[in-house]
Amino acid sequence: MSKGADVGLIGLAVMGRNLVLNMSDHGFRVAVYNRTTSRVDAFLADEASGREITGAHTLEALVEQLETPRVIMLMVKAGKPVDATIDALLPLLNRGDILIDGGNSHYDDTARRVEKLHQRGMHFVGAGVSGGEIGARFGPSIMPGGDERAWSRIKPILQAIAAKVPDGSPCCEWLGPQGAGHFVKMVHNGIEYGDMQLISEAYDLMKRGLGMSNEAIGDVFARWNEGVLDSYLIQITADILRYRDEQGVPVLDIILDSAGQKGTGKWTAVAALEKGSPLTLIGEAVFARFLSSLKEERVEASRLFPAERTKLDGDPVELIDDLRQALYAAKIVSYAQGYMLLKDQSEEQAWDLDYGTVATLWRAGCIIRAAFLDRIREAYAEEPDLPNLLAAPYFKDQITHALPSWRRLVAAGVHLGIPLPAMSSALAFFDGWRSERLPANLLQAQRDYFGAHTYERIDQPRGDFFHTDWTGEGGDVTAGTYNA
């Protein structure tokens, strides 16, 4: 016999309450709980008034309101609060019940929780949710993974509330076991860090290098949003640049240039380091935020080392077109690097990620949604085992066309002293990736010289290792070879 609610949700901050309203819009009955119970009462009296949304002041009361097998979505702070909530719920649940973590949890935590609930006959799903408060309210991108036995029960709910691409397909599909959903969400956020840094560098070049007004720069971004750079982040950048407060002051100009972060970009960089995946652009985007936080130190350094030049030379129209092409090329590298990490993790964990599906999930609803994600989906549809996104014909052509502009822009930034950590690291990565031979042979010789770490030879099979007694005093003993 039905007990009422189709789904329960715990955590009524902005994302949680908007997801509840979204579920209600799609005909689902929702029961809600928040540790601060006054939020429950306020929500029921305000946005939830007149809807099939019920409240609970205790977890016991929440569980009692749910149909079985129960579905409960957690929208609480990542880390210990998630574990504390799970531990409080477990004594109240039965075999077959399902918990969904919709927060920004670390993928290793999700894998641990999947196993913990599996041992109790319950199901745990880590579902990354992207789109911010507007996405949560009207259709986010949702990236679920974990215990697949839960998918048939929760699929109608999650796909109903997810964003839809133009053909009606939901931006929500099952991704894989363990922490696959939260890993994909983490990489999404890493790419988001890269995109935001690239856009900020383009803004900086126009603002400082060309002396353009905010409105003029906003007009440039608006034009770019009508072409291959069409994306949510480009769109909102145009809006931000044009926005003025009640006194007519450009709000962007009074915002302190010290960036915050919640950690998912750093997690992406750490995961790349752990797996030996060269996510140079995303790493630089994370470090750029760290550098921005040194505001007082930077102010003092600007007095010690004043700028030698202040403006870019050349035709502004041509420079802006170079900038557009450089931005697009670097953006392609950002996504290519993100997909490299997805591939490394998927192969290591035997997740069998569908990379085209990942692109579709990011096509609408999420922060990095962009028109060119269709090109990524098409690339993997044509070649599912594509070794690198940059090798796909479309992206190869785009990079080849943009390369002269990209080089000119990076050189101009260096010449002027305007830092371009993401744009320049993307170019350096590309040049390294396309180089048949790199100076790593010297690195290996140095390692063998001082540590007897051995090396491979170009005239011998891969996997055979050699050592040279460089000084005549080292002997034949080696340290062996390994990758830490």
Side-chain angles (χ1 to χ4, degrees):
M1 180 177 178
S2 173
K3 293 186 177 181
D6 302 303
V7 58
L9 187 138
I10 298 174
L12 290 176
V14 63
M15 290 291 287
R17 60 203 300 138
N18 280 353
L19 284 172
V20 171
L21 295 172
N22 188 348
M23 292 175 186
S24 177
D25 287 346
H26 288 87
F28 297 104
R29 297 159 297 178
V30 190
V32 300
Y33 168 80
N34 194 83
R35 187 176 62 174
T36 304
T37 56
S38 58
R39 281 196 176 187
V40 175
D41 298 334
F43 180 57
L44 294 176
D46 190 7
E47 300 106 308
S49 178
R51 295 173 175 265
E52 287 194 272
I53 300 172
T54 57
H57 284 188
T58 65
L59 291 177
E60 291 83 355
L62 176 77
V63 169
E64 284 299 312
Q65 294 182 43
L66 301 176
E67 289 189 14
T68 57
R70 302 176 183 91
V71 176
I72 301 176
M73 189 166 190
L74 312 181
M75 294 300 296
V76 300
K77 187 177 179 180
K80 292 180 179 179
V82 175
D83 286 317
T85 305
I86 292 171
D87 289 342
L89 281 169
L90 285 179
L92 310 175
L93 302 179
N94 298 327
R95 295 180 66 85
D97 288 347
I98 300 166
L99 295 184
I100 307 169
D101 177 12
N104 272 332
S105 289
H106 193 277
Y107 63 94
D108 280 339
D109 287 339
T110 299
R112 170 176 55 81
R113 292 161 185 155
V114 169
E115 180 59 26
K116 178 177 180 176
L117 266 71
H118 173 70
Q119 291 175 359
R120 293 172 177 254
M122 302 170 194
H123 313 305
F124 191 85
V125 172
V129 178
S130 177
E133 58 181 292
I134 300 300
R137 179 65 186 87
F138 299 108
S141 170
I142 307 176
M143 294 153 262
D147 190 337
E148 192 170 5
R149 292 171 298 175
W151 181 230
S152 62
R153 174 77 171 87
I154 65 175
K155 179 179 179 179
I157 300 171
L158 297 186
Q159 289 195 337
I161 67 172
K164 308 297 188 295
V165 295
D167 69 1
S169 300
C171 293
C172 174
E173 281 292 348
W174 189 256
L175 289 169
Q178 302 170 328
H182 273 134
F183 191 90
V184 171
K185 175 58 163 58
M186 178 194 74
V187 173
H188 162 285
N189 284 25
I191 293 172
E192 177 185 311
Y193 272 55
D195 265 9
M196 294 171 72
Q197 178 64 28
L198 287 169
I199 291 169
S200 296
E201 291 173 14
Y203 153 75
D204 200 17
L205 275 170
M206 285 187 276
K207 184 77 170 179
R208 287 201 284 169
L210 292 174
M212 295 171 61
S213 69
N214 287 6
E215 288 78 6
I217 300 172
D219 290 343
V220 170
F221 278 105
R223 289 197 303 273
W224 287 353
N225 197 50
E226 296 173 356
V228 293
L229 284 168
D230 174 10
S231 67
Y232 174 71
L233 286 171
I234 293 288
Q235 171 198 324
I236 69 169
T237 300
D239 293 344
I240 290 166
L241 282 155
R242 293 162 165 173
Y243 191 86
R244 293 174 176 265
D245 64 16
E246 295 82 356
Q247 285 73 45
V249 176
V251 173
L252 182 59
D253 290 349
I254 61 173
I255 296 176
L256 182 68
D257 56 321
S258 178
Q261 56 186 311
K262 290 188 174 180
T264 47
K266 182 168 68 175
W267 289 352
T268 310
V270 169
L273 288 168
E274 290 175 342
K275 301 189 185 308
S277 189
L279 267 68
T280 54
L281 189 155
I282 292 171
E284 288 294 345
V286 174
F287 289 132
R289 294 196 187 193
F290 292 157
L291 182 59
S292 78
S293 70
L294 304 178
K295 176 63 177 178
E296 290 76 17
E297 188 173 334
R298 290 189 291 109
V299 169
E300 181 60 28
S302 71
R303 300 188 182 106
L304 293 173
F305 302 98
E308 297 175 4
R309 301 184 63 227
T310 57
K311 292 292 181 289
L312 289 169
D313 295 326
D315 183 345
V317 174
E318 292 180 358
L319 287 166
I320 289 172
D321 188 63
D322 278 349
L323 183 54
R324 176 185 62 82
Q325 295 190 58
L327 178 58
Y328 189 51
K331 181 184 178 74
I332 292 170
V333 168
S334 180
Y335 282 74
Q337 289 186 356
Y339 270 86
M340 290 171 71
L341 182 57
L342 290 176
K343 186 172 184 287
D344 289 344
Q345 176 74 1
S346 180
E347 291 177 352
E348 178 186 295
Q349 299 295 325
W351 284 352
D352 194 27
L353 285 176
D354 185 319
Y355 305 116
T357 294
V358 172
T360 299
L361 300 193
W362 294 345
R363 180 64 183 84
C366 69
I367 302 301
I368 65 170
R369 59 185 183 265
F372 96 129
L373 281 157
D374 281 336
R375 297 290 189 173
I376 297 178
R377 178 184 54 79
E378 292 165 1
Y380 283 108
E382 293 171 5
E383 189 177 349
D385 296 325
L386 186 67
N388 191 296
L389 200 57
L390 297 175
Y394 171 79
F395 294 112
K396 174 182 176 293
D397 291 345
Q398 293 299 309
I399 291 288
T400 301
H401 177 72
L403 199 53
S405 293
W406 196 4
R407 294 196 189 285
R408 283 194 296 269
L409 250 294
V410 170
V414 171
H415 188 57
L416 198 59
I418 294 178
L420 304 174
M423 206 171 290
S424 60
S425 69
L427 180 58
F429 166 84
F430 170 75
D431 282 332
W433 178 76
R434 71 176 186 87
S435 293
E436 181 179 358
R437 188 166 175 83
L438 289 170
N441 56 325
L442 178 56
L443 292 175
Q444 285 299 87
Q446 291 169 335
R447 294 177 71 242
D448 190 55
Y449 188 107
F450 64 69
H453 291 298
T454 74
Y455 52 83
E456 294 174 280
R457 294 172 57 114
I458 61 174
D459 57 353
Q460 298 295 327
R462 292 297 305 265
D464 290 348
F465 290 88
F466 301 86
H467 168 62
T468 293
D469 182 4
W470 300 90
T471 65
E473 300 176 354
D476 296 328
V477 179
T478 69
T481 184
Y482 59 90
N483 286 314

